[in-house]
Amino acid sequence: MNIYLITGGAGFIGSNYISTLINNKKNKIIVIDKLSYAGNIKNLKHFILKKNFKFIKTNIGNKKVITKILRKYQPNYIVNFAAETHVDTSILFPNRFALNNVYHSVSFLNDALNYWQNIDSFSKKKFRFIQISTDEVYGCLKKNEMPFTEKSNLNPRNPYSSSKAAFDHFVLSYFNTYGMPNIITRCSNNFGKNQNLEKLIPMCINKLNLNKKIPIYGNGSQIRDWLHVLDHCKVINLIIKKGKKGEVYNIGNSNEIKNIELVKMICKIFDRIKPLTNFQHSSLIYYVKDRLGHDTRYSINPSKIKKEFNWSSKKNFKIELENTVKFYINNK
Ligand code: NAD
């Protein structure tokens, strides 16, 4: 039996991650989520009646509840997705990100450390704490600069990425200080089902579906490296099995696309599957004042996961983008 404690499981990536584990009866899955505006209990609807699944609504910073959960369910693996994740919100309310992504997260790490230190030696050896971080902690790249490797310096440039980088330092320092078997993943932009409508791809699809205008920051020239969410989740499973304690693994797809090009691709999909008689969907695009401190380019070098786990992306970007469009159209 493998017992997983998954935090932030009602969110976008967490709920997709559960789908990679749930059908194996040897896996028991305990999900905790505080159900913030970004957490959606409906993302768990396919799992809730399964015998190997349990959902508990709580904040990861609630020491009393977390201690009880750890003692009761004795997880082998903790996969920590829980975080405030929207850059725009972090610019408006940075304190919220410091509190949630650093203070509450460190409290959770302490509880996990305490749990790990007090389990039997077999379970202790098997245990892993996987921190789901982000490529944004590295800051941003100029056009001709090489993609970030695991050795790149951390240079976060907005309150969201700063809060993620701060907690990454705690996670790695707990490996060095206490020997806690922690691993960090830093993934590029994910896309797929169950993402909150505040994020670029679902926002764009939702607007197009309602024939509403699509706001684009600045001139839309920012570049992101897009990876399908299930490709990301599969790497997490490889890391749990084969990853080395105290390591960082970058996860990327070498699939750099300008925001405006991505939005135009989505418009073209709409032109095909929901054609309009009078105009093309791209005419709904309009430009708004750029986001403060908007990072121009993210790109991740995935050589380490390719070399160590023989990993490659299995999902075709264009096909999955169309599937994603259809998902949001069918799940208003
Ligand atoms: P999301 O906003 O969709 O989901 C986050 C979930 O965490 C929500 O369900 C929320 O309710 C929950 N949560 C937040 N704080 C919590 C707390 N203190 N206690 C309990 N639950 C809490 O985010 P996502 O896009 O699924 O991202 C998941 C993780 O992956 C985040 O840590 C994010 O930094 C990281 N990440 C995301 C991307 C991406 O493209 N979405 C890329 C790389 C890394």
Side-chain angles (χ1 to χ4, degrees):
M1 180 65 84
N2 290 313
I3 305 168
Y4 292 78
L5 179 67
I6 298 170
T7 73
F12 165 45
I13 308 178
S15 59
N16 278 284
Y17 181 61
I18 297 163
S19 72
T20 70
L21 301 173
I22 195 82
N23 292 327
N24 183 342
K25 288 194 178 113
K26 287 189 183 148
N27 293 334
K28 186 169 177 176
I29 296 140
I30 319 301
V31 170
I32 56 181
D33 197 300
K34 71 175 185 182
L35 295 181
S36 72
Y37 77 95
N40 186 350
I41 196 72
K42 286 187 187 149
N43 290 343
L44 302 174
K45 68 180 177 209
H46 297 300
F47 317 128
I48 224 103
L49 293 174
K50 302 257 182 189
K51 277 192 182 142
N52 59 345
F53 180 86
K54 172 90 187 156
F55 174 73
I56 302 158
K57 183 182 173 200
T58 185
N59 189 318
I60 58 168
N62 187 333
K63 187 175 175 53
K64 209 170 148 194
V65 176
I66 295 298
T67 307
K68 256 194 201 162
I69 291 171
L70 290 167
R71 214 175 280 154
K72 180 166 178 191
Y73 294 102
Q74 307 264 308
N76 305 113
Y77 311 118
I78 295 179
V79 188
N80 185 31
F81 293 96
E84 290 281 348
T85 60
H86 195 36
V87 175
D88 286 346
T89 315
S90 82
I91 293 167
L92 291 172
F93 307 107
N95 287 9
R96 202 192 278 180
F97 283 66
L99 180 68
N100 198 71
N101 296 357
V102 188
Y103 188 78
H104 286 156
S105 300
V106 172
S107 164
F108 182 63
L109 187 63
N110 286 335
D111 296 340
L113 171 68
N114 193 270
Y115 161 73
W116 173 74
Q117 285 174 326
N118 289 293
I119 50 181
D120 64 76
S121 58
F122 176 79
S123 309
K124 212 171 188 170
K125 218 169 155 190
K126 185 172 175 180
F127 182 81
R128 293 288 179 277
F129 183 100
I130 313 292
Q131 171 57 18
I132 308 301
S133 186
T134 165
D135 62 349
E136 298 194 31
V137 296
Y138 295 120
C140 75
L141 291 165
K142 294 200 179 87
K143 217 175 176 183
N144 298 321
E145 283 180 313
M146 298 299 280
F148 296 118
T149 71
E150 287 79 358
K151 293 201 169 82
S152 301
N153 288 332
L154 300 198
N155 182 24
R157 292 161 44 89
N158 60 55
Y160 161 66
S161 52
S162 300
S163 68
K164 294 292 289 184
F167 188 56
D168 279 11
H169 285 306
F170 277 92
V171 171
L172 286 181
S173 76
Y174 277 41
F175 169 70
N176 181 57
T177 310
Y178 309 106
M180 190 179 176
N182 300 341
I183 300 176
I184 292 181
T185 69
R186 294 187 182 136
C187 189
S188 61
N189 278 46
N190 285 217
F191 72 101
K193 63 179 192 177
N194 296 352
Q195 193 168 24
N196 193 284
L197 293 183
E198 69 195 359
K199 304 286 168 45
L200 180 64
I201 291 181
M203 179 278 287
C204 174
I205 299 169
N206 188 42
K207 299 273 185 204
L208 287 169
N209 203 24
L210 299 168
N211 290 339
K212 285 191 172 165
K213 289 192 153 198
I214 314 160
I216 298 296
Y217 277 137
N219 58 9
S221 64
Q222 303 81 12
I223 295 169
R224 302 292 181 257
D225 172 7
W226 291 94
L227 177 73
H228 190 265
V229 63
L230 290 176
D231 270 334
H232 177 188
C233 294
K234 281 186 187 148
V235 186
I236 299 170
N237 286 329
L238 287 170
I239 285 170
I240 288 177
K241 271 195 210 139
K242 301 180 181 175
K244 293 192 191 97
K245 298 180 274 185
E247 290 281 314
V248 171
Y249 292 93
N250 284 352
I251 307 172
N253 198 21
S254 309
N255 180 32
E256 291 183 42
I257 305 174
K258 279 186 185 166
N259 284 350
I260 187 64
E261 283 168 11
L262 177 66
V263 173
K264 283 181 179 168
M265 279 183 211
I266 297 171
C267 288
K268 282 213 169 114
I269 296 173
F270 266 85
D271 286 341
R272 208 159 16 82
I273 64 177
K274 282 188 98 186
L276 294 162
T277 39
N278 300 334
F279 58 94
Q280 292 192 322
H281 286 90
S282 57
S283 63
L284 291 168
I285 294 171
Y286 75 108
Y287 297 92
V288 296
K289 192 168 176 263
D290 207 354
R291 168 190 278 166
L292 291 177
H294 207 166
D295 285 342
T296 47
R297 176 176 165 235
Y298 302 139
S299 182
I300 277 288
N301 178 338
S303 307
K304 184 171 170 179
I305 54 169
K306 285 189 177 215
K307 198 169 151 216
E308 290 193 20
F309 312 136
N310 197 20
W311 177 83
S312 61
S313 159
K314 296 281 179 288
K315 299 283 185 184
N316 175 291
F317 178 74
K318 283 192 175 153
I319 294 174
E320 291 306 334
L321 187 63
E322 180 153 341
N323 287 340
T324 302
V325 169
K326 288 176 180 162
F327 171 84
Y328 291 101
I329 291 176
N330 296 329
N331 294 272
K332 282 180 195 159

